[in-house]
Amino acid sequence: MGQPRKVLRTTAIGTVSAALLAGPAAGVAPAAPVAGVTAPRSAEQQAGVPGVRFVDIKGDGGTVLKGNVVTPAGADGSRTYPVLILPTSWALPQIEYLAQAKKLADAGYVVVTYNARGFWQSGGYIEVAGPPDVADASRVIDWALANTPADPSRIGMAGVSYAAGISLLAAAHDERIKAVAALSGWADLVDSIYRGRTQNRQAALLLSGAGYLTGRPSPEFQQFTHDFLGSHLDKEQEMVDWGKKRSPAAFVDRINANGTAVMLGNAWGDTVFPPNQTADFYEKLTVPKRLEFRPGDHATPEIGGLLGLPNDTWTSTHRWLDHYLKGDDNGVDREQPVRLKSRSTGAYESYPDWKSVAADRRKLDLDGTKKIWANIDSGANGGLILLSSMLDQFVKLPPIASIPLLPRPFAAVWQSERYDSAQQIRGTAKLHTTLTGTKESGTLVAYLYDVGPLGLGKLVSNAPYTFHDKTPGTPFAVDLELFSTAYDVPAGHRLALVVDTVDPLYIEHNPFGAQLTFSSSAADPSYLSVPLRQK
């Protein structure tokens, strides 16, 4: 079985390479491969060869990483240039960034892109941004300094998804990195795919499937996937520890100590790395920083730029790097650092910090007692990974449910009054309630809907919550943060909170015949706190 997969990878990378080289990077001819990292720079390497050179780079432990280098057209060996290291995204080949690399080289950067270990034709195994991947980033920097006209005082890293996580982790461990642009990445891997102790089934299947198709998962990654998707709770702490080692949030103090300038760009509807953990990480940074959120799903805000098309995310990335690596006085350091694009209007808004996004809050009281049966999908759900949020991004069509028709035995529903004016939801809605289960374990998913006059609800936000080892029949408090967003509820509409127990996005832990009861008391009222933009 190994040989057909190798042929598949080789054929696929050749096809994709030809397509990209004939597209936005047309006219750039690759030169012969350059191997090794220990030899001193030749005159040709010191000068930099205009165009794309496909190279072999020795990573950690001598693992060969396949990469490419793009240098400024005017490089003649008389000067050095800021260098930008771009690891590839999960499962994508080394030519992913060629369009952007050409633009960056034209702007005066040496750009080194490499395939992360374990993927495509790079050696080693997929370590999921583990210590070998972090060490690889430093080895690639070493190679760039030895083999290109790179300035050792002006080193940056950037990239999308997997590359974003590796870049942030590398910045925590290599003080030479002066600036990072992390796009559609993660800060807390545990909070991303195991939020509320609930496995993100679709994200795990997508990532593991793509990993097996395009690379060689390490034994550790294979074991994690087996335990995670198999709900092996006896391995829960091991899985959490595995995720923390791969979480930039666990190393935020090192990033702050190194002083790396950090730009974070993510999507509101990212079903792999939800926005909350990015915002939490941003708040803990004390370095020069910038936070941008746009409509879309995982990596969709950056796609156009990877194809060489005009793209807001990549424009911001270039400005960030130009200031902190080239010293350009472009004003990016004087702008309000939190920049949001509304899902509803497409307009940009700027704030001095994340806390200022939700300047006001309105409580929706969750009165009364509601009991639902578990194990039945009520029809309320978060949609499909990638597809649903892309529909919201491009045609403003998020997942929809008919709120009056949701079966009340399987869905608890609370609704607000109709609003006389538009409600600009900004930030993170928070649910507080009292829950009583008939079993020791259970899962619930909360959904916030914008409900129009006909009762059709458009999904505003959602989040899962799982509990274990609770005493059946004994109430306990639940505090749940829904996924952060920027959404405008039109005048004449109302908000609805729906809670059920089954969603295709997640693995649920409801034993057969379980019931969940939600209650509110005068001493401990249940509510949904809705964040609103200050008018």
Side-chain angles (χ1 to χ4, degrees):
M1 293 297 290
Q3 184 64 25
R5 284 182 61 209
K6 182 177 179 180
V7 171
L8 173 62
R9 286 196 296 268
T10 303
T11 303
I13 195 170
T15 302
V16 178
S17 298
L20 282 186
L21 287 171
V28 180
V34 177
V37 298
T38 56
R41 286 189 285 181
S42 67
E44 178 186 72
Q45 290 166 338
Q46 291 176 354
V49 181
V52 178
R53 290 188 292 136
F54 288 89
V55 299
D56 290 348
I57 302 172
K58 288 184 180 179
D60 186 51
T63 297
V64 175
L65 307 174
K66 296 292 184 176
N68 58 65
V69 182
V70 188
T71 51
D76 59 5
S78 62
R79 54 169 293 193
T80 58
Y81 300 85
V83 60
L84 187 63
I85 310 298
L86 300 171
T88 51
S89 301
W90 185 270
L92 291 185
Q94 62 180 353
I95 39 68
E96 174 188 5
Y97 298 108
L98 279 184
Q100 283 300 320
K102 182 63 169 61
K103 290 184 177 182
L104 287 160
D106 289 344
Y109 292 89
V110 171
V111 184
V112 180
T113 295
Y114 70 96
N115 241 121
R117 64 169 54 223
F119 284 106
W120 295 92
Q121 294 177 318
S122 282
Y125 294 91
I126 300 172
E127 301 290 349
V128 197
D133 291 297
V134 178
D136 282 346
S138 291
R139 300 293 78 75
V140 173
I141 292 172
D142 294 341
W143 184 93
L145 295 177
N147 293 276
T148 74
D151 185 339
S153 67
R154 295 186 291 170
I155 298 170
M157 290 192 68
V160 179
S161 185
Y162 196 41
I166 290 175
S167 296
L168 289 171
L169 288 164
H173 291 83
D174 193 325
E175 62 183 10
R176 295 176 296 177
I177 300 170
K178 303 304 181 185
V180 165
L183 311 177
S184 286
W186 74 93
D188 188 327
L189 190 59
V190 178
D191 194 49
S192 294
I193 63 174
Y194 195 52
R195 187 170 181 81
R197 296 184 76 183
T198 310
Q199 298 106 309
N200 188 327
R201 183 205 325 260
Q202 291 187 17
L205 288 173
L206 176 68
L207 294 174
S208 61
Y212 275 93
L213 179 64
T214 62
R216 299 165 300 282
S218 67
E220 188 178 19
F221 177 39
Q222 294 181 50
Q223 185 64 50
F224 172 84
T225 303
H226 175 267
D227 294 339
F228 186 80
L229 291 173
S231 299
H232 293 171
L233 293 176
D234 58 318
K235 301 290 187 67
E236 183 179 34
Q237 189 57 51
E238 291 180 28
M239 290 187 283
V240 168
D241 292 342
W242 182 90
K244 283 185 176 179
K245 285 195 303 183
R246 292 158 169 81
S247 296
F251 304 99
V252 66
D253 290 345
R254 293 190 187 183
I255 296 175
N256 288 334
N258 290 341
T260 311
V262 176
M263 172 185 160
L264 305 170
N266 283 67
W268 291 121
D270 195 320
T271 43
V272 181
F273 305 130
N276 303 50
Q277 45 91 35
T278 300
D280 291 344
F281 176 68
Y282 173 84
E283 286 290 274
K284 296 174 184 176
L285 289 170
T286 58
V287 296
K289 59 184 180 178
R290 187 176 181 92
L291 176 66
E292 299 187 353
F293 282 125
R294 294 176 175 84
D297 206 312
H298 184 62
T300 64
E302 298 88 25
I303 286 178
L306 293 177
L307 299 175
L309 303 174
N311 181 269
D312 286 355
T313 304
W314 283 103
T315 297
S316 289
T317 298
H318 285 237
R319 294 182 67 231
W320 185 257
L321 298 172
D322 286 350
H323 179 75
Y324 287 102
L325 295 181
K326 294 172 62 180
D328 288 0
D329 185 15
N330 55 20
V332 72
D333 57 323
R334 297 187 294 275
E335 298 169 355
Q336 294 196 104
V338 176
R339 191 166 182 249
L340 314 179
K341 188 175 184 180
S342 168
R343 290 168 51 197
S344 303
T345 66
Y348 280 100
E349 303 164 3
S350 296
Y351 301 86
D353 51 44
W354 175 248
K355 294 178 181 178
S356 300
V357 171
D360 292 329
R361 284 192 170 268
R362 173 175 290 185
K363 282 189 176 181
L364 172 60
D365 293 328
L366 309 180
D367 297 327
T369 298
K370 298 183 186 293
K371 180 183 294 186
I372 60 174
W373 291 90
N375 307 115
I376 302 295
D377 191 342
S378 70
N381 64 68
L384 296 174
I385 192 169
L386 297 181
L387 177 61
S388 296
S389 290
M390 286 180 67
L391 288 174
D392 182 43
Q393 176 183 359
F394 295 112
V395 295
K396 293 184 173 54
L397 187 63
I400 293 176
S402 175
I403 304 304
L405 297 181
L406 292 176
R408 283 357 187 218
F410 311 116
V413 180
W414 296 266
Q415 295 193 73
S416 71
E417 298 297 324
R418 296 188 188 277
Y419 295 115
D420 295 330
S421 59
Q423 305 294 299
Q424 294 181 305
I425 298 176
R426 299 291 185 273
T428 309
K430 300 178 180 180
L431 168 65
H432 173 77
T433 189
T434 298
L435 175 62
T436 306
T438 59
K439 306 290 184 179
E440 65 176 13
S441 296
T443 296
L444 63 90
V445 185
Y447 309 91
L448 183 61
Y449 285 100
D450 160 24
V451 185
L454 299 179
L456 288 179
K458 293 183 176 181
L459 187 65
V460 177
S461 184
N462 72 99
Y465 178 89
T466 293
F467 62 89
H468 297 289
D469 303 321
K470 296 294 185 182
T471 303
T474 300
F476 60 94
V478 171
D479 288 286
L480 175 62
E481 289 190 351
L482 276 63
F483 299 134
S484 304
T485 194
Y487 183 96
D488 294 358
V489 179
H493 287 213
R494 66 179 72 196
L495 286 173
L497 177 72
V498 177
V499 180
D500 73 0
T501 61
V502 177
D503 190 306
L505 282 171
Y506 308 110
I507 294 177
E508 50 93 6
H509 297 265
N510 295 299
F512 179 77
Q515 290 180 290
L516 302 180
T517 299
F518 303 91
S519 58
S520 181
S521 66
D524 187 15
S526 295
Y527 60 85
L528 179 74
S529 175
V530 181
L532 298 176
R533 183 186 183 190
Q534 190 171 38
K535 295 183 178 180

